[in-house]
Amino acid sequence: MGIYTLQELCVCLSEKIQNLNPYISIEKTVLADDFKICRILNGMWQVAGGHGQINTESAISDMAEYQKSGFTTWDLADIYGPAESLIGDFRRKVGKETKFQALTKFVPNPGPMSNSIVTHHIEQSLKKMHTDCIDLLQFHWWDYNDESYLDALHYLSKLQNEQKIRHLGLTNFDTKRVRIMIENDFKIISNQVQYSILDQRPQKLMTPFFVKHGIKILTYGTLLGGFFSERYLGIDEPHRAELTTSSLQKYKKMIDVWGGWQLFQELLQVLDSMAKKHQCSIANIATRFILDKPQVAGIIIGTRLGIVNHRSDNAKVFEIKLDQDDMSSIDKITAKSNDLFNVIGDCGDEYR
């Protein structure tokens, strides 16, 4: 046996403790009843085809690494390419004793919603995901003029009573429509909407209503598809050809509507100063800012499975505490921007 210095022994012991308990720094929260999720969710939109090709074997191996690191909650959808099948393959690989949470979506085409139509779609998801019960089924509807979404919710509630769905949530519904659902006695536990330093629309109407009715918010777009990073600090405005993923193309439009590239650079400079102060990344600051908002249960950060991962960086979010100076610095920049609620409307209105 070799002779080790005290410092080397301390490093070795620290690594062993970390390996014994990889979950130590990952914040979790109760979304409803006894249903607990990670406050950073692994987003699977990136496997749908707009972020590069996904190798199934590499993706499953990467999912196992997320699980080991304590990031055990996945956000997916029936329209995200092979996402549900990847969850099913992952479940087969790790076995039923390995606990993780898989939150999928039901995104039907507008039109009449019957029991057979809704049941068929949910049965397909159950089969692909290799499970008897979906942890959280998040429902999306494209056209508010077609009130068949209430019929769909009725049949989804029926499937919930049959224990094929554990909890019901929503995706991109506005406050007005959620109010109608509550008035019709539907039990909704969450709504997934866009929420970031740039897009703070949920604060206008949704958050006050959700506080009253105990509904939580799951957020996406919090990192603007990667724009909230050191990579985009101090560079010229990118051309469309340089926006190589669907996320970058989507959120560049959001930056343009919010206030443009120059103002966004001012914001990045402020966030970079804060990141240096807290010894973290710009992405960490952007994430923590939204995590601290009322009713926000979790933030979805995209996973490019088998290509690149940010697990270590994401975990740093849980070590950060923003102070009043940090909040004031951000507010000074956002006060110069356009109010996206006035430009776009309530949450989800950009899809209708």
Side-chain angles (χ1 to χ4, degrees):
M1 180 176 177
I3 298 173
Y4 298 92
T5 66
L6 180 60
Q7 183 179 9
E8 288 171 334
L9 286 171
C10 288
V11 170
C12 181
L13 180 61
S14 175
E15 289 176 349
K16 287 183 180 295
I17 291 172
Q18 205 168 25
N19 288 334
L20 284 171
N21 189 2
Y23 304 92
I24 192 166
S25 64
I26 308 301
E27 284 182 17
K28 296 193 175 183
T29 189
V30 175
L31 197 58
D33 300 329
D34 60 344
F35 182 46
K36 187 179 288 187
I37 64 168
C38 296
R39 296 204 71 200
I40 289 182
L41 296 83
N42 310 314
M44 296 187 75
W45 180 40
Q46 280 74 4
V47 307
H51 297 78
Q53 292 300 309
I54 298 294
N55 177 277
T56 300
E57 186 175 337
S58 297
I60 298 298
S61 296
D62 211 7
M63 291 172 75
E65 293 303 315
Y66 276 91
Q67 182 78 19
K68 289 178 185 177
S69 300
F71 293 101
T72 63
T73 307
W74 298 86
D75 179 79
L76 51 147
D78 55 356
I79 60 169
Y80 290 178
E84 291 185 332
S85 296
L86 284 172
I87 287 292
D89 291 342
F90 179 62
R91 199 186 305 274
R92 291 183 184 92
K93 177 178 179 177
V94 300
K96 292 184 178 180
E97 67 279 1
T98 301
K99 301 301 180 184
F100 63 91
Q101 306 78 46
L103 289 49
T104 195
K105 301 181 187 74
F106 173 41
V107 189
N109 293 323
M113 288 286 109
S114 65
N115 183 45
S116 60
I117 290 173
V118 174
T119 301
H120 170 76
H121 282 280
I122 302 307
E123 292 284 1
Q124 288 292 107
S125 292
L126 288 166
K127 182 178 179 181
K128 289 178 182 178
M129 295 169 68
H130 191 55
T131 186
D132 297 323
C133 182
I134 294 169
D135 292 323
L136 174 64
L137 192 287
Q138 302 168 99
F139 174 49
H140 174 91
W141 191 252
W142 296 106
D143 183 8
Y144 291 150
N145 292 320
D146 184 348
E147 294 186 355
S148 298
Y149 69 87
L150 294 172
D151 296 326
L153 278 170
H154 171 74
Y155 296 120
L156 289 172
S157 297
K158 180 174 177 289
L159 291 168
Q160 186 178 19
N161 291 334
E162 295 171 6
Q163 298 184 335
K164 293 183 178 180
I165 296 170
R166 186 174 179 185
H167 296 290
L168 281 178
L170 306 169
T171 300
N172 288 315
F173 273 93
D174 64 6
T175 311
K176 179 179 178 181
R177 252 50 61 158
V178 180
R179 185 186 301 274
I180 291 171
M181 295 173 194
I182 298 302
E183 289 171 350
N184 280 271
D185 295 325
F186 291 113
K187 176 60 177 175
I188 303 297
I189 69 166
S190 65
N191 190 21
Q192 185 179 136
V193 295
Q194 185 170 288
Y195 202 170
S196 69
I197 294 174
L198 264 66
D199 185 1
Q200 299 186 41
R201 287 177 293 160
Q203 296 174 186
K204 293 282 188 175
L205 298 177
M206 190 163 288
T207 297
F209 182 78
F210 281 17
V211 167
K212 182 178 179 181
H213 293 278
I215 303 172
K216 299 295 179 63
I217 297 173
L218 299 175
T219 83
Y220 65 88
T222 304
L223 298 183
L224 299 182
F227 276 115
F228 272 136
S229 70
E230 287 75 10
R231 177 182 177 184
Y232 290 96
L233 175 64
I235 70 168
D236 293 334
E237 185 171 1
H239 299 292
R240 180 174 174 78
E242 300 173 90
L243 305 177
T244 56
T245 69
S246 297
S247 291
L248 290 173
Q249 293 165 14
K250 175 180 180 178
Y251 292 109
K252 175 56 168 61
K253 294 177 182 176
M254 192 61 60
I255 291 170
D256 294 341
V257 174
W258 173 77
W261 191 252
Q262 183 174 342
L263 184 59
F264 183 64
Q265 284 298 309
E266 289 185 40
L267 178 58
L268 282 182
Q269 289 169 12
V270 167
L271 297 182
D272 186 53
S273 296
M274 291 168 57
K276 289 182 170 66
K277 167 184 167 182
H278 292 281
Q279 297 183 317
C280 64
S281 67
I282 288 175
N284 292 158
I285 300 295
T287 302
R288 188 75 252 180
F289 181 84
I290 297 300
L291 266 182
D292 291 340
K293 294 294 184 180
Q295 297 306 108
V296 172
I299 288 174
I300 298 155
I301 297 181
T303 54
R304 300 184 68 184
L305 295 172
I307 298 175
V308 64
N309 81 79
H310 301 284
R311 289 187 293 269
S312 296
D313 188 61
N314 289 345
K316 292 179 184 177
V317 169
F318 305 123
E319 301 172 0
I320 301 168
K321 288 190 177 180
L322 301 182
D323 57 36
Q324 191 54 51
D325 288 342
D326 297 326
M327 308 301 281
S328 296
S329 297
I330 292 173
D331 290 344
K332 285 179 182 177
I333 301 297
T334 57
K336 303 177 186 179
S337 70
N338 295 318
D339 185 331
L340 293 185
F341 189 92
N342 294 332
V343 177
I344 300 173
D346 199 1
C347 301
D349 282 0
E350 62 270 31
Y351 296 102
R352 298 173 179 89

